[in-house]
Amino acid sequence: MEEHKKRIIKAIRYIDHHLDADLSLENISEIAMYSPFHFHRIFKLITRETLQNYIIRKKIEKSAFYLAVKKEMEIKEIYLDLGFSNHSVFSKTFKKYYGMPPSAFRNSAPETFHRILQIDRKNGQTDTVFSQYICHVENLLNWTKMNLKIEVKELPEMNLAAVMSLGLAQVEPSYNLLIEWAEKKQLFPAQNVKMISVYHDSFKVTPPDKVRIHACMLLDEKLNGQNGLIFSETIDAGKFIAGRGEVTLQDFEQCWVSLFLWMNEHHYSMRKAFPFEIYHSNFKEHPEGKMIVDFCIPVH
Protein backbone atom coordinates (compact mmCIF):
# COMPACT_ATOMS: atom_id res chain seq x y z
CA MET A 1 0.00 0.00 0.00
CA GLU A 2 2.87 2.39 0.79
CA GLU A 3 4.24 1.84 -2.71
CA HIS A 4 0.94 2.88 -4.31
CA LYS A 5 0.84 6.01 -2.13
CA LYS A 6 4.29 7.01 -3.33
CA ARG A 7 3.42 6.41 -6.97
CA ILE A 8 0.20 8.40 -6.90
CA ILE A 9 1.79 11.29 -5.00
CA LYS A 10 4.71 11.31 -7.43
CA ALA A 11 2.40 11.50 -10.46
CA ILE A 12 0.16 14.23 -9.05
CA ARG A 13 3.11 16.30 -7.84
CA TYR A 14 4.73 16.05 -11.25
CA ILE A 15 1.56 17.25 -12.98
CA ASP A 16 1.05 20.15 -10.59
CA HIS A 17 4.68 21.30 -10.94
CA HIS A 18 4.98 20.79 -14.72
CA LEU A 19 1.76 22.16 -16.17
CA ASP A 20 3.72 23.54 -19.13
CA ALA A 21 5.41 20.19 -19.91
CA ASP A 22 4.36 17.16 -21.98
CA LEU A 23 1.68 15.63 -19.77
CA SER A 24 0.69 12.76 -22.03
CA LEU A 25 -0.70 9.57 -20.52
CA GLU A 26 2.45 7.72 -21.59
CA ASN A 27 4.77 10.15 -19.80
CA ILE A 28 2.76 10.39 -16.60
CA SER A 29 2.22 6.63 -16.35
CA GLU A 30 5.96 6.09 -16.81
CA ILE A 31 6.66 8.49 -13.94
CA ALA A 32 4.15 6.60 -11.78
CA MET A 33 5.64 3.26 -12.90
CA TYR A 34 2.36 1.84 -14.18
CA SER A 35 1.39 0.77 -17.67
CA PRO A 36 -0.71 3.48 -19.43
CA PHE A 37 -3.80 1.25 -19.31
CA HIS A 38 -3.50 0.51 -15.59
CA PHE A 39 -2.56 4.07 -14.64
CA HIS A 40 -5.50 5.60 -16.49
CA ARG A 41 -8.01 3.43 -14.61
CA ILE A 42 -6.29 3.82 -11.24
CA PHE A 43 -5.98 7.60 -11.62
CA LYS A 44 -9.64 8.00 -12.53
CA LEU A 45 -10.82 5.87 -9.63
CA ILE A 46 -8.67 7.76 -7.13
CA THR A 47 -9.18 11.35 -8.34
CA ARG A 48 -12.76 10.86 -9.61
CA GLU A 49 -11.80 12.36 -13.00
CA THR A 50 -9.81 11.40 -16.06
CA LEU A 51 -6.17 12.36 -16.36
CA GLN A 52 -6.94 14.84 -19.15
CA ASN A 53 -9.73 16.53 -17.17
CA TYR A 54 -7.49 16.77 -14.11
CA ILE A 55 -4.68 18.40 -16.12
CA ILE A 56 -7.02 20.94 -17.75
CA ARG A 57 -8.63 21.78 -14.41
CA LYS A 58 -5.26 22.34 -12.75
CA LYS A 59 -4.15 24.59 -15.63
CA ILE A 60 -7.31 26.68 -15.38
CA GLU A 61 -7.01 26.94 -11.60
CA LYS A 62 -3.38 28.07 -11.96
CA SER A 63 -4.39 30.62 -14.61
CA ALA A 64 -7.11 31.94 -12.27
CA PHE A 65 -4.50 32.36 -9.56
CA TYR A 66 -2.23 34.33 -11.93
CA LEU A 67 -5.12 36.48 -13.14
CA ALA A 68 -6.11 37.35 -9.59
CA VAL A 69 -2.77 38.02 -7.92
CA LYS A 70 -0.26 38.68 -10.72
CA LYS A 71 -1.74 41.71 -12.37
CA GLU A 72 1.52 42.45 -14.14
CA MET A 73 1.27 39.29 -16.27
CA GLU A 74 -0.37 39.65 -19.66
CA ILE A 75 -3.19 37.20 -20.35
CA LYS A 76 -1.28 35.95 -23.38
CA GLU A 77 1.77 35.23 -21.24
CA ILE A 78 -0.40 33.27 -18.79
CA TYR A 79 -2.06 30.99 -21.30
CA LEU A 80 1.12 30.37 -23.28
CA ASP A 81 2.98 29.47 -20.08
CA LEU A 82 0.29 26.90 -19.33
CA GLY A 83 0.39 25.32 -22.78
CA PHE A 84 -2.78 26.75 -24.37
CA SER A 85 -2.31 27.28 -28.10
CA ASN A 86 -4.26 30.53 -28.46
CA HIS A 87 -6.51 32.99 -26.67
CA SER A 88 -9.73 31.55 -28.10
CA VAL A 89 -9.09 28.05 -26.74
CA PHE A 90 -7.98 29.40 -23.36
CA SER A 91 -10.92 31.80 -23.02
CA LYS A 92 -13.48 29.15 -23.95
CA THR A 93 -12.01 26.62 -21.50
CA PHE A 94 -11.70 29.20 -18.71
CA LYS A 95 -15.32 30.31 -19.14
CA LYS A 96 -16.46 26.70 -18.86
CA TYR A 97 -14.97 26.51 -15.35
CA TYR A 98 -15.59 30.03 -13.99
CA GLY A 99 -18.59 31.24 -16.00
CA MET A 100 -16.82 34.31 -17.38
CA PRO A 101 -13.91 35.12 -19.71
CA PRO A 102 -10.40 35.61 -18.22
CA SER A 103 -10.45 39.41 -18.55
CA ALA A 104 -13.74 39.72 -16.66
CA PHE A 105 -12.46 37.34 -13.99
CA ARG A 106 -9.31 39.45 -13.54
CA ASN A 107 -11.37 42.61 -13.09
CA SER A 108 -13.66 41.02 -10.51
CA ALA A 109 -11.24 38.77 -8.62
CA PRO A 110 -10.56 39.88 -5.03
CA GLU A 111 -6.99 40.32 -3.84
CA THR A 112 -7.58 37.54 -1.32
CA PHE A 113 -8.42 35.05 -4.05
CA HIS A 114 -5.03 33.38 -3.68
CA ARG A 115 -5.96 32.23 -0.18
CA ILE A 116 -8.62 29.98 -1.63
CA LEU A 117 -6.15 28.31 -3.97
CA GLN A 118 -3.34 27.86 -1.50
CA ILE A 119 -2.95 24.46 0.11
CA ASP A 120 -2.19 24.44 3.82
CA ARG A 121 1.11 22.84 4.75
CA LYS A 122 2.33 21.70 8.14
CA ASN A 123 6.03 21.13 8.69
CA GLY A 124 6.56 20.18 5.05
CA GLN A 125 4.22 17.22 5.25
CA THR A 126 2.04 16.00 2.38
CA ASP A 127 -0.49 18.54 1.11
CA THR A 128 -4.03 18.03 2.30
CA VAL A 129 -5.18 17.45 -1.27
CA PHE A 130 -2.73 14.55 -1.55
CA SER A 131 -4.06 13.18 1.73
CA GLN A 132 -7.50 13.13 0.16
CA TYR A 133 -6.23 11.05 -2.77
CA ILE A 134 -4.26 8.76 -0.48
CA CYS A 135 -7.43 8.20 1.52
CA HIS A 136 -9.05 7.00 -1.71
CA VAL A 137 -6.18 4.56 -2.27
CA GLU A 138 -6.47 3.22 1.27
CA ASN A 139 -10.24 2.91 0.95
CA LEU A 140 -9.83 1.04 -2.32
CA LEU A 141 -7.28 -1.38 -0.92
CA ASN A 142 -9.35 -1.91 2.23
CA TRP A 143 -12.42 -2.50 0.04
CA THR A 144 -10.40 -5.05 -1.91
CA LYS A 145 -9.43 -6.96 1.23
CA MET A 146 -13.04 -7.05 2.40
CA ASN A 147 -14.70 -7.88 -0.93
CA LEU A 148 -12.26 -9.84 -3.08
CA LYS A 149 -10.42 -13.05 -2.39
CA ILE A 150 -7.36 -12.80 -4.63
CA GLU A 151 -5.07 -15.67 -5.54
CA VAL A 152 -2.67 -16.66 -8.30
CA LYS A 153 -3.41 -20.03 -9.80
CA GLU A 154 -3.08 -22.21 -12.85
CA LEU A 155 -6.31 -22.59 -14.81
CA PRO A 156 -6.94 -25.37 -17.33
CA GLU A 157 -7.84 -24.83 -20.95
CA MET A 158 -11.45 -23.71 -21.33
CA ASN A 159 -13.58 -24.53 -24.37
CA LEU A 160 -16.31 -21.98 -24.95
CA ALA A 161 -19.32 -21.32 -27.13
CA ALA A 162 -19.27 -17.58 -27.86
CA VAL A 163 -21.35 -14.75 -29.28
CA MET A 164 -19.63 -11.48 -30.15
CA SER A 165 -21.06 -8.20 -28.88
CA LEU A 166 -19.97 -4.67 -29.76
CA GLY A 167 -20.47 -2.40 -26.79
CA LEU A 168 -21.82 -3.00 -23.29
CA ALA A 169 -25.43 -2.53 -24.41
CA GLN A 170 -25.17 -5.59 -26.65
CA VAL A 171 -23.83 -7.99 -24.01
CA GLU A 172 -27.21 -9.01 -22.55
CA PRO A 173 -28.80 -9.63 -26.01
CA SER A 174 -25.73 -11.73 -26.88
CA TYR A 175 -26.20 -13.84 -23.76
CA ASN A 176 -29.91 -14.25 -24.57
CA LEU A 177 -28.94 -15.54 -28.01
CA LEU A 178 -26.38 -17.88 -26.49
CA ILE A 179 -28.86 -19.27 -23.96
CA GLU A 180 -31.49 -19.77 -26.66
CA TRP A 181 -28.95 -21.79 -28.67
CA ALA A 182 -27.91 -23.77 -25.56
CA GLU A 183 -31.53 -24.63 -24.70
CA LYS A 184 -32.04 -26.09 -28.17
CA LYS A 185 -28.87 -28.16 -27.68
CA GLN A 186 -30.10 -29.15 -24.19
CA LEU A 187 -26.99 -27.60 -22.67
CA PHE A 188 -29.00 -25.11 -20.62
CA PRO A 189 -30.27 -25.00 -17.98
CA ALA A 190 -27.78 -27.37 -16.42
CA GLN A 191 -26.22 -27.71 -13.01
CA ASN A 192 -23.08 -25.59 -12.52
CA VAL A 193 -23.20 -24.12 -16.04
CA LYS A 194 -20.69 -21.24 -16.24
CA MET A 195 -21.07 -18.03 -18.22
CA ILE A 196 -17.90 -16.11 -19.08
CA SER A 197 -17.31 -12.63 -20.55
CA VAL A 198 -14.03 -12.28 -22.46
CA TYR A 199 -12.77 -8.73 -23.11
CA HIS A 200 -11.12 -8.42 -26.53
CA ASP A 201 -10.71 -4.61 -26.38
CA SER A 202 -9.65 -2.08 -23.78
CA PHE A 203 -12.06 0.65 -22.66
CA LYS A 204 -9.03 2.96 -22.58
CA VAL A 205 -8.44 2.91 -26.34
CA THR A 206 -11.83 1.79 -27.66
CA PRO A 207 -15.13 3.72 -27.24
CA PRO A 208 -17.62 1.93 -24.94
CA ASP A 209 -20.05 1.33 -27.81
CA LYS A 210 -17.28 -0.30 -29.88
CA VAL A 211 -15.61 -2.49 -27.23
CA ARG A 212 -15.67 -6.13 -28.32
CA ILE A 213 -16.89 -8.47 -25.58
CA HIS A 214 -17.57 -12.15 -26.18
CA ALA A 215 -20.51 -13.59 -24.25
CA CYS A 216 -19.50 -17.20 -23.62
CA MET A 217 -20.62 -20.48 -22.09
CA LEU A 218 -18.16 -23.05 -20.77
CA LEU A 219 -18.46 -26.40 -22.57
CA ASP A 220 -17.22 -29.88 -21.72
CA GLU A 221 -15.88 -30.34 -25.24
CA LYS A 222 -14.68 -28.06 -28.00
CA LEU A 223 -17.42 -26.74 -30.28
CA ASN A 224 -16.98 -27.90 -33.87
CA GLY A 225 -17.40 -25.22 -36.51
CA GLN A 226 -19.74 -22.24 -36.33
CA ASN A 227 -23.47 -22.44 -35.73
CA GLY A 228 -24.99 -19.19 -36.97
CA LEU A 229 -23.74 -16.44 -34.64
CA ILE A 230 -22.38 -19.03 -32.20
CA PHE A 231 -18.69 -19.80 -32.63
CA SER A 232 -15.93 -21.64 -30.79
CA GLU A 233 -13.47 -19.84 -28.54
CA THR A 234 -10.67 -21.18 -26.33
CA ILE A 235 -9.01 -19.75 -23.25
CA ASP A 236 -5.57 -21.32 -23.11
CA ALA A 237 -4.33 -22.91 -19.92
CA GLY A 238 -1.94 -20.78 -17.88
CA LYS A 239 -1.30 -18.65 -14.83
CA PHE A 240 -3.96 -16.15 -13.77
CA ILE A 241 -4.63 -13.65 -11.01
CA ALA A 242 -8.18 -14.46 -9.97
CA GLY A 243 -10.20 -12.22 -7.68
CA ARG A 244 -13.49 -13.63 -6.46
CA GLY A 245 -16.19 -11.55 -4.86
CA GLU A 246 -19.94 -11.21 -4.37
CA VAL A 247 -20.52 -7.85 -6.03
CA THR A 248 -23.05 -5.76 -7.94
CA LEU A 249 -22.66 -4.64 -11.55
CA GLN A 250 -21.69 -1.18 -10.25
CA ASP A 251 -18.69 -2.72 -8.46
CA PHE A 252 -17.13 -4.23 -11.59
CA GLU A 253 -14.83 -1.33 -12.49
CA GLN A 254 -13.61 -1.08 -8.90
CA CYS A 255 -12.93 -4.83 -8.89
CA TRP A 256 -10.82 -4.61 -12.05
CA VAL A 257 -8.84 -1.60 -10.79
CA SER A 258 -8.29 -3.36 -7.46
CA LEU A 259 -6.96 -6.40 -9.28
CA PHE A 260 -4.57 -4.31 -11.37
CA LEU A 261 -3.31 -2.59 -8.22
CA TRP A 262 -2.74 -5.98 -6.61
CA MET A 263 -0.95 -7.21 -9.74
CA ASN A 264 1.48 -4.27 -9.68
CA GLU A 265 1.99 -4.49 -5.94
CA HIS A 266 3.00 -8.15 -6.24
CA HIS A 267 5.22 -7.58 -9.32
CA TYR A 268 3.26 -9.62 -11.86
CA SER A 269 2.92 -8.54 -15.50
CA MET A 270 0.01 -9.21 -17.82
CA ARG A 271 0.41 -11.79 -20.59
CA LYS A 272 -0.72 -11.13 -24.16
CA ALA A 273 -4.05 -12.77 -23.59
CA PHE A 274 -7.55 -11.51 -22.83
CA PRO A 275 -8.91 -10.86 -19.31
CA PHE A 276 -12.28 -12.37 -18.50
CA GLU A 277 -15.03 -12.75 -15.91
CA ILE A 278 -16.54 -16.05 -14.76
CA TYR A 279 -20.05 -15.81 -13.31
CA HIS A 280 -21.03 -18.30 -10.61
CA SER A 281 -24.48 -16.87 -9.91
CA ASN A 282 -27.09 -14.59 -11.48
CA PHE A 283 -27.54 -11.05 -10.10
CA LYS A 284 -31.20 -11.14 -11.21
CA GLU A 285 -31.83 -13.90 -8.67
CA HIS A 286 -30.31 -11.97 -5.74
CA PRO A 287 -32.45 -9.51 -3.71
CA GLU A 288 -29.60 -6.96 -3.68
CA GLY A 289 -28.54 -7.54 -7.28
CA LYS A 290 -25.30 -9.27 -6.27
CA MET A 291 -23.47 -12.06 -8.07
CA ILE A 292 -20.42 -14.21 -7.41
CA VAL A 293 -17.75 -13.40 -10.00
CA ASP A 294 -14.15 -14.38 -10.70
CA PHE A 295 -12.19 -11.52 -12.31
CA CYS A 296 -9.24 -13.10 -14.12
CA ILE A 297 -6.04 -11.52 -15.48
CA PRO A 298 -3.54 -13.65 -17.44
CA VAL A 299 -0.06 -13.08 -16.01
CA HIS A 300 3.56 -14.20 -16.28
Side-chain angles (χ1 to χ4, degrees):
M1 185 164 64
E2 289 300 321
E3 181 62 27
H4 291 303
K5 290 181 184 181
K6 292 176 183 178
R7 292 188 191 187
I8 294 301
I9 289 176
K10 187 177 182 180
I12 294 174
R13 280 190 182 279
Y14 183 86
I15 294 169
D16 290 357
H17 295 158
H18 298 84
L19 290 173
D20 59 342
D22 178 8
L23 297 176
S24 65
L25 172 61
E26 289 71 21
N27 284 347
I28 301 301
S29 59
E30 184 177 351
I31 288 166
M33 295 182 292
Y34 289 110
S35 72
F37 173 71
H38 297 156
F39 178 73
H40 182 269
R41 301 185 74 166
I42 293 166
F43 187 90
K44 183 180 178 182
L45 193 71
I46 290 171
T47 64
R48 304 298 195 267
E49 57 188 325
T50 66
L51 176 63
Q52 187 62 23
N53 286 346
Y54 178 85
I55 291 170
I56 292 173
R57 179 172 63 80
K58 296 306 290 186
K59 287 186 176 187
I60 292 299
E61 288 176 356
K62 178 61 74 74
S63 71
F65 175 82
Y66 286 154
L67 288 167
V69 304
K70 294 195 174 185
K71 304 291 188 180
E72 72 281 1
M73 287 187 72
E74 296 287 342
I75 291 180
K76 183 177 181 178
E77 183 183 359
I78 292 173
Y79 72 70
L80 288 178
D81 279 352
L82 292 171
F84 289 95
S85 57
N86 56 61
H87 184 275
S88 176
V89 172
F90 171 62
S91 183
K92 183 178 179 180
T93 308
F94 190 94
K95 189 173 181 180
K96 178 181 176 182
Y97 281 83
Y98 287 101
M100 64 182 76
S103 56
F105 181 89
R106 167 166 273 178
N107 293 333
S108 64
E111 292 298 327
T112 56
F113 179 77
H114 67 285
R115 295 179 185 174
I116 300 173
L117 296 176
Q118 286 179 332
I119 299 170
D120 294 331
R121 299 172 182 270
K122 294 183 179 180
N123 301 322
Q125 294 181 355
T126 304
D127 300 337
T128 55
V129 69
F130 294 134
S131 297
Q132 176 187 351
Y133 293 142
I134 294 312
C135 180
H136 291 164
V137 177
E138 291 176 341
N139 288 341
L140 175 59
L141 294 175
N142 288 336
W143 184 92
T144 303
K145 291 177 182 177
M146 292 178 62
N147 293 278
L148 285 181
K149 179 185 177 183
I150 300 176
E151 56 184 334
V152 178
K153 57 184 179 180
E154 296 286 336
L155 293 179
E157 178 181 89
M158 286 180 261
N159 297 309
L160 310 173
V163 177
M164 185 177 73
S165 60
L166 292 176
L168 287 171
Q170 295 303 313
V171 173
E172 186 170 358
S174 295
Y175 270 114
N176 291 338
L177 182 64
L178 181 64
I179 290 172
E180 183 180 339
W181 170 84
E183 286 175 339
K184 292 178 180 178
K185 296 286 185 179
Q186 297 185 335
L187 299 172
F188 186 90
Q191 189 175 11
N192 296 324
V193 64
K194 293 291 187 296
M195 299 297 186
I196 299 175
S197 289
V198 183
Y199 291 86
H200 285 257
D201 290 316
S202 162
F203 284 94
K204 170 62 186 72
V205 297
T206 305
D209 62 336
K210 298 290 193 300
V211 168
R212 186 159 58 101
I213 304 169
H214 289 182
C216 304
M217 178 182 293
L218 183 61
L219 303 176
D220 293 331
E221 298 179 354
K222 190 177 182 67
L223 180 67
N224 292 321
Q226 184 168 340
N227 192 325
L229 295 176
I230 314 297
F231 56 90
S232 175
E233 179 160 0
T234 301
I235 296 176
D236 292 331
K239 182 186 292 184
F240 294 84
I241 295 175
R244 175 174 293 193
E246 187 176 24
V247 296
T248 67
L249 292 174
Q250 288 71 35
D251 295 325
F252 274 39
E253 182 176 7
Q254 183 154 302
C255 289
W256 279 115
V257 173
S258 299
L259 217 57
F260 286 129
L261 278 172
W262 193 95
M263 181 182 75
N264 281 284
E265 188 176 52
H266 292 80
H267 310 293
Y268 288 97
S269 58
M270 188 172 174
R271 285 189 284 115
K272 288 186 177 180
F274 302 115
F276 56 90
E277 299 158 354
I278 304 176
Y279 311 118
H280 298 279
S281 62
N282 189 341
F283 73 93
K284 293 182 178 180
E285 298 173 356
H286 192 283
E288 298 177 17
K290 292 183 176 182
M291 58 198 304
I292 299 172
V293 185
D294 287 345
F295 299 88
C296 303
I297 301 176
V299 293
H300 294 292

